[in-house]
């Protein structure tokens, strides 16, 4: 039972354009969401989060939007840069015993 | 404030040997997660531990794999009688209690190669 879903395994975006990464969840009890970025051969690093009391959180080029009624969140990166090429994971704490549950990730390729 | 430390970074084992992967969580963190990443795949949850307790091991293979997080010292992921299919990157993450606004911080991973 996959409670956090990232349905796009990969995404290619032209440099300078907007990258939009999507994430869906099934558990309406989730009230906090996290995005992680992972380069090859490195551990994931925390990128940005959002609490369910908000519908938007912005940090520089990164903005996360939350649509609670649709159980959907998205990460927007604008403008996209070559260094943004990585795998992005969506996650939510709140599984059994507050376990943090990760999606399978979306590989973002920024094209020159 | 040191981050999550994993060692070794790279580990080579022959088939049938044992692999021991260590994870020292961030200071003040009492929750540890282990994940496995196979080539071209995402992070796969293995086990979630709190100090001296296994909370959720639903992602652990039933045989050969075990994990512990003792009161003192690092968390250990142990793989007995390794096989080629165990070759993967193993990542540890730690977090502190503090639901719901809790981030997990990851180590750099241990890359296990079974030859």
């Amino acid at each position: 039972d996959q409670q956090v879903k990232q349905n796009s395994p990969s995404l290619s975006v032209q440099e300078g354009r907007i990258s939009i990464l999507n994430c869906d969840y099934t558990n309406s009890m989730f009230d906090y969401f996290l995005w992680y970025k992972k380069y090859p051969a490195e551990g994931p690093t925390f990128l940005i989060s959002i609490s369910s009391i908000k519908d938007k959180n912005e940090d520089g080029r990164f903005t996360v939007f939350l649509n609670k009624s649709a159980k959907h969140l998205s990460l927007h990166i604008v403008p996209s840069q070559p260094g943004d090429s990585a795998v992005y994971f969506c996650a939510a704490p709140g599984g059994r015993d507050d376990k943090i549950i990760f999606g399978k990730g979306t590989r973002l390729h920024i094209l020159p | 404030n040191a981050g999550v430390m994993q060692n070794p970074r790279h580990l080579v084992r022959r088939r049938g040997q044992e692999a021991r992967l260590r994870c020292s969580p961030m200071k003040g963190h009492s929750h540890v997660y282990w994940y496995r990443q196979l080539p071209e795949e995402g992070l796969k949850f293995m086990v979630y531990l709190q100090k001296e307790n296994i909370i959720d091991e639903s992602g652990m293979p039933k045989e050969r794999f075990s994990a512990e997080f003792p009161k003192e010292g690092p968390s250990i992921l142990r793989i007995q009688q390794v096989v080629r299919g165990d070759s993967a990157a193993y990542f540890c993450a730690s977090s502190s209690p503090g639901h719901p606004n809790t981030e997990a911080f990851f180590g750099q991973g241990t890359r296990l190669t079974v030859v």
Side-chain angles (χ1 to χ4, degrees):
Chain A
D1 176 27
Q2 203 179 337
Q3 297 187 63
V4 177
K5 300 177 186 179
Q6 293 177 258
N7 293 319
S8 298
S10 66
L11 175 69
S12 294
V13 174
Q14 208 77 33
E15 182 179 353
R17 299 285 185 101
I18 183 170
S19 296
I20 301 176
L21 298 104
N22 293 305
C23 178
D24 297 292
Y25 61 97
T26 58
N27 190 337
S28 57
M29 299 299 290
F30 287 164
D31 54 9
Y32 189 64
F33 302 90
L34 310 154
W35 283 94
Y36 285 82
K37 176 180 180 179
K38 185 184 181 302
Y39 292 120
E42 294 184 15
T45 55
F46 169 72
L47 191 58
I48 192 169
S49 63
I50 188 165
S51 166
S52 62
I53 61 173
K54 295 184 175 182
D55 54 18
K56 176 183 173 181
N57 188 26
E58 190 173 352
D59 183 1
R61 296 186 298 113
F62 301 90
T63 303
V64 57
F65 294 92
L66 175 61
N67 182 335
K68 289 185 287 292
S69 60
K71 296 195 185 73
H72 176 83
L73 61 156
S74 59
L75 174 68
H76 293 216
I77 307 172
V78 57
S80 299
Q81 297 176 354
D84 297 330
S85 293
V87 178
Y88 290 80
F89 293 95
C90 171
R96 197 178 84 191
D97 296 298
D98 290 340
K99 183 178 80 179
I100 298 177
I101 299 171
F102 284 83
K104 291 192 172 183
T106 297
R107 185 178 300 275
L108 176 64
H109 299 271
I110 303 302
L111 306 170
Chain B
N1 184 17
V4 178
M5 304 299 291
Q6 287 188 252
N7 68 82
R9 286 295 306 274
H10 300 273
L11 182 61
V12 179
R13 283 287 177 266
R14 297 189 183 280
R15 280 179 295 170
Q17 290 185 321
E18 178 180 288
R20 290 170 70 88
L21 289 67
R22 292 174 183 76
C23 170
S24 296
M26 284 182 70
K27 188 175 180 181
H29 285 190
S30 58
H31 299 193
V32 164
Y33 305 78
W34 284 94
Y35 290 85
R36 176 164 64 175
Q37 184 175 31
L38 295 168
E40 304 303 319
E41 293 190 17
L43 290 172
K44 183 174 182 295
F45 168 77
M46 299 183 75
V47 63
Y48 170 41
L49 309 104
Q50 296 175 13
K51 279 284 186 183
E52 298 185 275
N53 288 307
I54 296 174
I55 305 301
D56 182 353
E57 56 182 348
S58 58
M60 288 275 271
K62 294 285 185 272
E63 297 176 349
R64 301 189 298 109
F65 284 72
S66 62
E68 62 176 11
F69 187 19
K71 187 177 179 182
E72 301 291 338
S75 175
I76 306 287
L77 179 68
R78 184 179 174 209
I79 311 172
Q80 295 177 293
Q81 299 172 343
V82 296
V83 301
R84 288 233 169 96
D86 297 332
S87 295
Y90 292 83
F91 292 97
C92 165
S94 74
S95 67
S96 62
H99 178 76
N101 296 353
T102 304
E103 292 106 32
F105 295 87
F106 282 82
Q108 294 283 27
T110 293
R111 187 163 299 278
L112 172 65
T113 302
V114 179
V115 297

